[in-house]
Amino acid sequence: MRGLLLAISTLTVLISPGYGQFPGSPVSDYRSGLFVQNPCVSKQTCSECLQTPTCAWCMKEDYTSLDGAPLPRCNQETHFSAQSSSRVQCPIDEVVNPNNVFRVIQNIDLQRASQYHEAVQVQPQHVSLKMRVNEAHNLDFFYEQAQDYPVDLYYLMDLSKSMEDDKEKLSKLGDLLAATMQNITSNFKLGFGSFVDKVVMPYVSTVPKKLEEPCDGCAAPYGYKHHMRLSTDTSTFSGEVKRAQVSGNLDAPEGGFDAIMQAIVCKNEIGWRDKARKLLVFSTDAGFHYAGDGKLGGIVKPNDGFCHLDSKGTYTHSTLQDYPSVSQINHKVKENSVNVIFAVTEEQFDVYNMLQANIEGSSAGTLSADSSNIVELVKAQYQAITSSIEMKDNATGSVRVTYYSSCVGDGPVRQTNKCSGLRVGSRVQFTAKIEVVKCPKDPREWRQKFQIYPVGINESVLVDLEMMCQCECEQPGNPGYMENAPQCSGHGTYMCGICQCPTDFFGRRCECDRENLGFHGDLEAGCRPDNTTTTLCNNRGDCICGKCECYPRENPDEIVSGDYCECDNFSCDRYDGLLCSGPEHGYSACECRATNETCITPYGEHINKLCSGHGSCSCGECKCFETEEGQFSGRFCEECPTCPGKCEELTPCVQCLQFQSGTLADKEDEFGVDLCDKCPFDVIEVEKAEDYVRDDERLCTFIDDDDCRATFVYGYHNSTGQLMVWVQTTKECPVVVDVMGIILGVIGAIVAVGLLLILMWKVFTTIHDRREFARFEKERAMAKWDAGENPIFKSATSTYKNPTYNGKM
Ligand SMILES: *[C@@H]1O[C@H](CO)[C@@H](O)[C@H](O)[C@H]1NC(C)=O
Ligand SMILES: *[C@@H]1O[C@H](CO)[C@@H](O)[C@H](O)[C@H]1NC(C)=O
Ligand SMILES: *[C@@H]1O[C@H](CO)[C@@H](O)[C@H](O)[C@H]1NC(C)=O
Ligand SMILES: *[C@@H]1O[C@H](CO)[C@@H](O)[C@H](O)[C@H]1NC(C)=O
Ligand SMILES: *[C@@H]1O[C@H](CO)[C@@H](O)[C@H](O)[C@H]1NC(C)=O
Ligand SMILES: *[C@@H]1O[C@H](CO)[C@@H](O)[C@H](O)[C@H]1NC(C)=O
Ligand SMILES: *[C@@H]1O[C@H](CO)[C@@H](O)[C@H](O)[C@H]1NC(C)=O
């Protein structure tokens, strides 16, 4: 009921018109401060203040109220605005409240490439941003696919024996491939490289004769060879492809990853241009070796991701370093904005389709057995790649970037970093919402550069971000900053209106000298009301130079005062609508402490003692001491922490008075007086004892002779102090248990569990058998896949009926 009332009152506050004036923004009105926390006033330094949204700092030298009390320097920015004239003003030029500063540094219009300049597809290119924590900035930028954007296509081909016919076909189709791409962009370069595998056992036979000629009419095996540099002279492509000789190896997977890595990182050797769409077409009819496989051939050194090509374009570290991993490839692909197109035969498609999902900006297409569809495949993949765009960034964890766009105008603005259905010339507007989530601990990270880039394109919006985590007046060289300042008694650093003291000094103006004040041991003795407490200034102020300085309150109408900040003019009860003593008694004294009467224990063993001797009286209420044994409690601190309470003591009397049972019932003392009559109290019969537990009343229960649970409550009359006992007339008796039922139930349960276990075992073994069988089936299928070039499976190969493998290595 209480909770409901609270909920209703909160709701009333929320819908009251006063609140409605500030929709969505933190309420800065002091009167509402009772309900909404003002996060600013507790901030003690300018940088802390700056890092709190909507707060501003006053760096005025003496920022005090009219009677000289220091005011909170950090406050809601509206508090310092011109409108709030009722407050002590901080001149506007002394208010530290910087806004986000956004500046465009480079903003070249989107344009196509010409002989004078490169194409521009992202605008703006470079911006700078100064931001406060948690205050977002929306950065608008554009992407447009330029007409005639340069395209570099490097064709990387598996040249093991089985690809011989593909090679022939490609050399015939070379001109068509070039013509088709030139139809898309006039700025087209074509290059060519090939690979087989590492020349070590077990990938390649190292029998000397086989090393020279692994198969009839084959060239010696090699890892990766770069044949033709990217060039606009596409007519040499066909010749280069024709001239490249096929080779042979032993196992089915090939060393394509080595080739991809070199082809990407050897930027100069391959001839990749800085600003071009980079396509790497990878064509093969076999699987691939990856990191770890090198161990089979005794190669343990991991791939270093550097270029190792000699002057003839041969990969020199093929037998020295392991194959790269998928993530290494992905990393280099991202770093160099390359789009890999896997053009693979149908039976390999599933594997490469999975690989494609793990490499940014790559795709996979199905190659016909003799590569006759290569031109359509490349064209289709190119169009798929260029018709969609995805924005990414490399901002660190303390910066959050969220993207919004309506893409090609096909819907409302939504949160997305991907758009599809683009055509040459369609302009897409993105909005990047940039937020500093928190100030990094290391001040060097307060300035950082990050880029927002379209995947696969070497262009970006470079953002120079400066996080405003510190006030300018906290840095040397600013007017608000002075070392050994007179304001700080000549030995502190004055910054933003406050003093930062060296270790030997303390105080608001560094005026307290540890040595001279003789504060060697207890600096804080003057801030503690007595020896028994350890809390300083009642936790409502700072202990400065051995004296309490009470904290300012959020609400300026509330004043904390007293030597130990023990007094205030807001927390005690109102009398006739006035606070305690009322204004005629003056506000400077401690209104609440006028009398200790309400703290005097009216009853019990501690009668007439102040707070039962276990607490002190403060503002008319007992503050109970905390001792080694624990915290005293109760309105008059009468409950000691380890006391068992009076339940046990009272039980025999309650038993005999109410239920005529227990140790005292029907017994007499030596004078013949009924023991029950000697009980020092009367019981009050009630229906439900719990209802009588209000503040200090205690609930007791005991088990009576008939095994039933009885409940009573005791307490003291709040004015006379007389012991009062309320006894519940009804007892809770245990239900008689049906022994037979329990036994039968247990037996039944055991049987049921047994049956269930047997059933589960049956289900598990069935599933297990099915899985094993499925795996066996799959392995059989895999064996078929591998059998092509594994000598152990040679006999199987001869019975395999796939015409494309017929007679091939
Ligand atoms: C190039 O485009 C033109 C017109 O769009 C078309 O007629 C021609 O067949 C295309 N050539 C190639 C090689 O695709
Ligand atoms: C991207 O372009 C810049 C010049 O604008 C160039 O310095 C950089 O090397 C290029 N990056 C790649 C991976 O091509
Ligand atoms: C993001 O990438 C740019 C360009 O490569 C680099 O200058 C910047 O330092 C990177 N930023 C982060 C935070 O890694
Ligand atoms: C506080 O402690 C000092 C010595 O530790 C003692 O002399 C003094 O009487 C104590 N004061 C009170 C109020 O207990
Ligand atoms: C508390 O005291 C201050 C200063 O004396 C006064 O301005 C304020 O109105 C008082 N607050 C209340 C609630 O009476
Ligand atoms: C009230 O009690 C405190 C200790 O709790 C004592 O310091 C103070 O003098 C007492 N005031 C009066 C008016 O008795
Ligand atoms: C004593 O308790 C009754 C309710 O049990 C309450 O109405 C009354 O105000 C209390 N008196 C005092 C002095 O607290």
Side-chain angles (χ1 to χ4, degrees):
M1 187 63 199
R2 234 195 180 152
L4 188 65
L5 272 179
L6 196 71
I8 289 172
S9 62
T10 318
L11 204 66
T12 326
V13 168
L14 287 176
I15 59 179
S16 72
Y19 193 90
Q21 288 166 8
F22 306 95
S25 68
V27 177
S28 60
D29 186 35
Y30 272 121
R31 277 155 302 180
S32 320
L34 287 172
F35 308 109
V36 183
Q37 279 274 317
N38 178 345
C40 308
V41 288
S42 61
K43 303 290 176 283
Q44 298 294 323
T45 64
C46 187
S47 42
E48 273 178 71
C49 188
L50 193 69
Q51 289 180 27
T52 316
T54 73
C55 297
W57 177 267
C58 176
M59 56 181 283
K60 190 179 165 201
E61 191 176 331
D62 288 306
Y63 184 53
T64 54
S65 62
L66 295 175
D67 52 6
L71 292 171
R73 288 182 182 273
C74 187
N75 219 321
Q76 295 285 343
E77 48 196 14
T78 44
H79 178 74
F80 296 111
S81 65
Q83 287 90 350
S84 62
S85 52
S86 63
R87 313 274 170 233
V88 178
Q89 282 291 314
C90 185
I92 206 74
D93 57 336
E94 304 228 45
V95 175
V96 183
N97 185 23
N99 288 320
N100 291 347
V101 183
F102 173 72
R103 207 157 55 85
V104 177
I105 297 173
Q106 196 180 26
N107 192 24
I108 304 174
D109 282 339
L110 301 174
Q111 61 193 9
R112 53 184 292 185
S114 75
Q115 59 199 101
Y116 307 110
H117 54 71
E118 288 172 329
V120 178
Q121 302 191 117
V122 176
Q123 184 192 11
Q125 293 79 33
H126 193 175
V127 300
S128 82
L129 192 53
K130 265 172 105 169
M131 280 184 86
R132 279 179 68 166
V133 176
N134 286 321
E135 293 194 356
H137 178 83
N138 288 333
L139 166 65
D140 290 338
F141 63 99
F142 299 92
Y143 169 80
E144 180 182 324
Q145 191 190 333
Q147 212 178 351
D148 265 349
Y149 194 68
V151 174
D152 288 351
L153 191 153
Y154 190 74
Y155 200 97
L156 194 53
M157 191 171 193
D158 176 356
L159 276 192
S160 56
K161 182 77 177 169
S162 59
M163 292 289 282
E164 195 164 20
D165 57 342
D166 303 71
K167 185 184 81 103
E168 299 307 328
K169 200 81 196 179
L170 181 64
S171 86
K172 288 202 192 93
L173 290 176
D175 291 334
L176 179 62
L177 178 63
T180 306
M181 292 306 290
Q182 271 157 349
N183 229 10
I184 294 171
T185 171
S186 59
N187 203 338
F188 177 67
K189 281 191 174 187
L190 189 58
F192 176 63
S194 69
F195 63 91
V196 182
D197 209 339
K198 293 191 186 297
V199 188
V200 286
M201 277 297 270
Y203 319 114
V204 166
S205 170
T206 47
V207 177
K209 200 172 137 263
K210 290 268 183 190
L211 265 184
E212 271 171 37
E213 193 179 345
C215 42
D216 287 341
C218 288
Y222 54 90
Y224 159 66
K225 239 185 229 162
H226 166 51
H227 298 281
M228 177 188 160
R229 197 180 148 82
L230 286 167
S231 151
T232 43
D233 182 9
T234 52
S235 57
T236 56
F237 181 76
S238 292
E240 286 287 348
V241 175
K242 205 175 191 117
R243 230 184 342 274
Q245 275 180 293
V246 290
S247 182
N249 65 333
L250 289 177
D251 64 342
E254 314 289 10
F257 270 23
D258 270 345
I260 296 182
M261 177 59 88
Q262 293 304 310
I264 293 174
V265 298
C266 296
K267 203 177 157 197
N268 296 331
E269 289 79 354
I270 305 288
W272 295 113
R273 284 174 287 182
D274 281 345
K275 293 282 151 71
R277 178 68 83 168
K278 298 171 190 162
L279 304 178
L280 180 70
V281 178
F282 180 86
S283 96
T284 185
D285 64 351
F288 49 86
H289 282 301
Y290 53 93
D293 286 0
K295 284 188 190 137
L296 285 177
I299 303 169
V300 291
K301 207 170 158 209
N303 197 287
D304 63 6
F306 288 112
C307 177
H308 299 289
L309 288 189
D310 65 12
S311 55
K312 288 194 191 122
T314 310
Y315 178 36
T316 54
H317 284 47
S318 173
T319 55
L320 302 178
Q321 290 182 358
D322 196 358
Y323 304 96
S325 65
V326 176
S327 75
Q328 264 178 316
I329 299 266
N330 182 36
H331 179 75
K332 291 294 172 191
V333 159
K334 272 206 253 185
E335 198 174 270
N336 293 283
S337 314
V338 174
N339 292 107
V340 184
I341 299 173
F342 296 106
V344 296
T345 47
E346 196 170 351
E347 63 267 30
Q348 298 297 339
F349 181 79
D350 288 343
V351 178
Y352 282 92
N353 200 31
M354 275 192 272
L355 178 63
Q356 164 269 122
N358 291 293
I359 296 182
E360 187 175 283
S362 67
S363 56
T366 312
L367 200 60
S368 60
D370 60 354
S371 293
S372 55
N373 67 339
I374 186 67
V375 176
E376 294 92 85
L377 190 153
V378 169
K379 190 176 167 192
Q381 295 296 335
Y382 173 81
Q383 267 155 2
I385 289 169
T386 54
S387 70
S388 69
I389 193 72
E390 180 177 5
M391 289 295 165
K392 293 218 168 172
D393 58 75
N394 68 343
T396 57
S398 40
V399 182
R400 181 167 56 212
V401 187
T402 340
Y403 299 90
Y404 298 86
S405 179
S406 63
C407 288
V408 284
D410 55 349
V413 174
R414 53 192 182 270
Q415 187 184 335
T416 179
N417 63 337
K418 262 188 205 162
C419 288
S420 50
L422 308 192
R423 262 180 268 135
V424 171
S426 44
R427 181 171 296 201
V428 183
Q429 174 173 358
F430 282 96
T431 301
K433 183 174 166 205
I434 303 174
E435 280 166 292
V436 176
V437 188
K438 59 175 194 300
C439 279
K441 290 219 170 60
D442 185 352
R444 280 173 301 187
E445 287 176 35
W446 291 350
R447 272 168 189 276
Q448 54 176 259
K449 284 178 198 285
F450 68 91
Q451 55 176 356
I452 296 173
Y453 60 93
V455 169
I457 290 179
N458 183 16
E459 287 185 48
S460 63
V461 185
L462 187 62
V463 182
D464 290 353
L465 179 69
E466 185 183 341
M467 307 179 193
M468 289 191 271
C469 294
Q470 199 182 26
C471 300
E472 283 183 353
C473 49
E474 284 173 324
Q475 292 154 15
N478 269 281
Y481 181 97
M482 192 195 287
E483 277 167 32
N484 300 330
Q487 295 96 318
C488 302
S489 314
H491 28 246
T493 304
Y494 178 77
M495 49 170 82
C496 304
I498 56 171
C499 288
Q500 210 180 44
C501 307
T503 43
D504 285 345
F505 295 89
F506 59 102
R508 190 182 299 285
R509 301 185 165 281
C510 307
E511 70 277 27
C512 320
D513 181 343
R514 232 167 266 263
E515 300 285 314
N516 292 348
L517 282 172
F519 280 138
H520 295 297
D522 198 355
L523 288 172
E524 296 154 346
C527 301
R528 262 195 301 259
D530 50 54
N531 293 7
T532 53
T533 89
T534 51
T535 48
L536 297 181
C537 306
N538 285 302
N539 284 335
R540 302 206 288 183
D542 277 331
C543 185
I544 286 172
C545 278
K547 279 195 186 139
C548 284
E549 279 193 20
C550 306
Y551 296 135
R553 298 278 306 176
E554 286 165 25
N555 183 341
D557 283 348
E558 298 176 355
I559 298 288
V560 179
S561 60
D563 285 349
Y564 311 111
C565 306
E566 75 276 36
C567 305
D568 60 53
N569 68 356
F570 55 88
S571 67
C572 66
D573 290 338
R574 282 167 192 267
Y575 179 77
D576 269 350
L578 296 169
L579 282 174
C580 290
S581 51
E584 61 272 21
H585 298 282
Y587 275 113
S588 53
C590 304
E591 291 94 327
C592 324
R593 216 171 44 169
T595 168
N596 279 350
E597 247 171 61
T598 49
C599 295
I600 291 168
T601 315
Y603 50 76
E605 47 181 325
H606 303 296
I607 189 156
N608 288 341
K609 283 195 204 155
L610 196 71
C611 299
S612 305
H614 299 138
S616 61
C617 189
S618 152
C619 284
E621 275 181 28
C622 283
K623 295 262 180 291
C624 302
F625 295 149
E626 200 177 342
T627 65
E628 278 158 20
E629 290 174 327
Q631 170 88 44
F632 282 88
S633 59
R635 188 144 78 89
F636 300 105
C637 305
E638 70 276 19
E639 301 279 359
C640 86
T642 50
C643 296
K646 287 209 161 65
C647 285
E648 261 176 63
E649 193 186 320
L650 299 178
T651 298
C653 275
V654 172
Q655 255 180 316
C656 83
L657 285 174
Q658 179 69 26
F659 304 112
Q660 291 78 42
S661 61
T663 49
L664 301 183
D666 302 327
K667 294 222 173 82
E668 294 177 355
D669 68 358
E670 60 265 38
F671 308 110
V673 180
D674 196 321
L675 284 181
C676 215
D677 289 343
K678 287 175 78 179
C679 285
F681 57 89
D682 283 328
V683 294
I684 306 162
E685 292 186 5
V686 296
E687 215 168 282
K688 201 158 177 354
E690 271 170 44
D691 295 345
Y692 290 82
V693 180
R694 276 179 294 255
D695 299 321
D696 292 335
E697 285 78 7
R698 280 212 185 185
L699 184 72
C700 308
T701 58
F702 62 89
I703 305 295
D704 205 3
D705 297 352
D706 52 1
D707 278 340
C708 292
R709 178 197 297 270
T711 314
F712 67 94
V713 166
Y714 76 89
Y716 301 93
H717 194 271
N718 59 7
S719 52
T720 62
Q722 197 192 345
L723 182 65
M724 314 266 287
V725 179
W726 296 270
V727 185
Q728 186 167 317
T729 46
T730 52
K731 297 193 267 189
E732 286 171 43
C733 296
V735 188
V736 181
V737 275
D738 177 359
V739 177
M740 199 56 205
I742 289 178
I743 290 174
L744 284 180
V746 168
I747 291 174
I750 289 172
V751 171
V753 168
L755 281 177
L756 192 70
L757 281 178
I758 290 172
L759 200 68
M760 273 162 65
W761 173 78
K762 183 65 196 156
V763 169
F764 276 134
T765 47
T766 309
I767 291 175
H768 185 71
D769 286 353
R770 289 231 174 117
R771 273 211 196 126
E772 287 293 307
F773 184 67
R775 187 184 302 162
F776 169 71
E777 288 279 80
K778 201 166 144 204
E779 269 164 17
R780 256 187 15 181
M782 297 276 274
K784 195 162 55 182
W785 180 62
D786 256 359
E789 279 146 305
N790 190 330
I792 303 171
F793 286 90
K794 229 166 205 161
S795 56
T797 320
S798 60
T799 59
Y800 183 62
K801 294 218 173 57
N802 189 335
T804 56
Y805 275 81
N806 216 1
K808 289 180 194 169
M809 190 71 183

